[in-house]
Amino acid sequence: MVLRAIIQAARIIISRPGIAASTSMADKDKIFDSDWNWSGILLEAKSATDPGGGDWNVMFNRDYGYAPCVVARMLAASSVATPWSGPSVQSPMQQVGNGQVCPIIYSNRIWFPRNLSTGGTMNYGTIEYEVYGVD
């Protein structure tokens, strides 16, 4: 049996099954590293274009069984990624105020609501997104 966890004063590392944990191991061999500035490993990364119409669901490759961490960016007209300038992407437990809509992360998708409670609709354009979690 290999040692899969390292717990130090300033760092915790957990490796994938069958891989010995070390402070110099590759990220792809880790399940968790407290030095990461995200939650988990990169599970998928894609782009998607808002089709218009009703609410928009961007489906993940699979249902992860939990709401993963998602980093989303809007693409500018020049196809260069820019920081998300729309509503923030939130977990299902968070609420949004002031009549704004907010994309919500579920275990199998990001749901982009269309209608503003104050009237009008939200258009999201083209986005890039990364999904992080434990696989």
Side-chain angles (χ1 to χ4, degrees), residues 63-83:
D63 188 326
Y64 292 104
Y66 61 91
C69 174
V70 174
V71 177
R73 293 173 291 281
M74 293 179 78
L75 295 180
S78 63
S79 297
V80 175
T82 59

Side-chain angles (χ1 to χ4, degrees), residues 76-110:
S78 63
S79 297
V80 175
T82 59
W84 183 256
S85 61
S88 61
V89 179
Q90 301 188 32
S91 76
M93 300 307 292
Q94 294 172 305
Q95 300 295 317
V96 176
N98 303 326
Q100 297 179 356
V101 295
C102 178
I104 298 175
I105 303 166
Y106 292 97
S107 64
N108 64 343
R109 71 189 185 283
I110 309 170

Side-chain angles (χ1 to χ4, degrees), residues 8-49:
Q8 299 175 340
R11 191 170 185 191
I12 298 172
I13 298 171
I14 302 172
S15 70
R16 289 184 174 275
I19 299 174
S22 78
T23 56
S24 61
M25 66 190 304
D27 282 348
K28 69 178 182 63
D29 294 330
K30 300 174 189 173
I31 291 175
F32 177 80
D33 186 336
S34 61
D35 280 358
W36 288 341
N37 63 351
W38 62 87
S39 175
I41 59 172
L42 178 64
L43 299 172
E44 60 183 274
K46 295 183 178 179
S47 64
T49 302

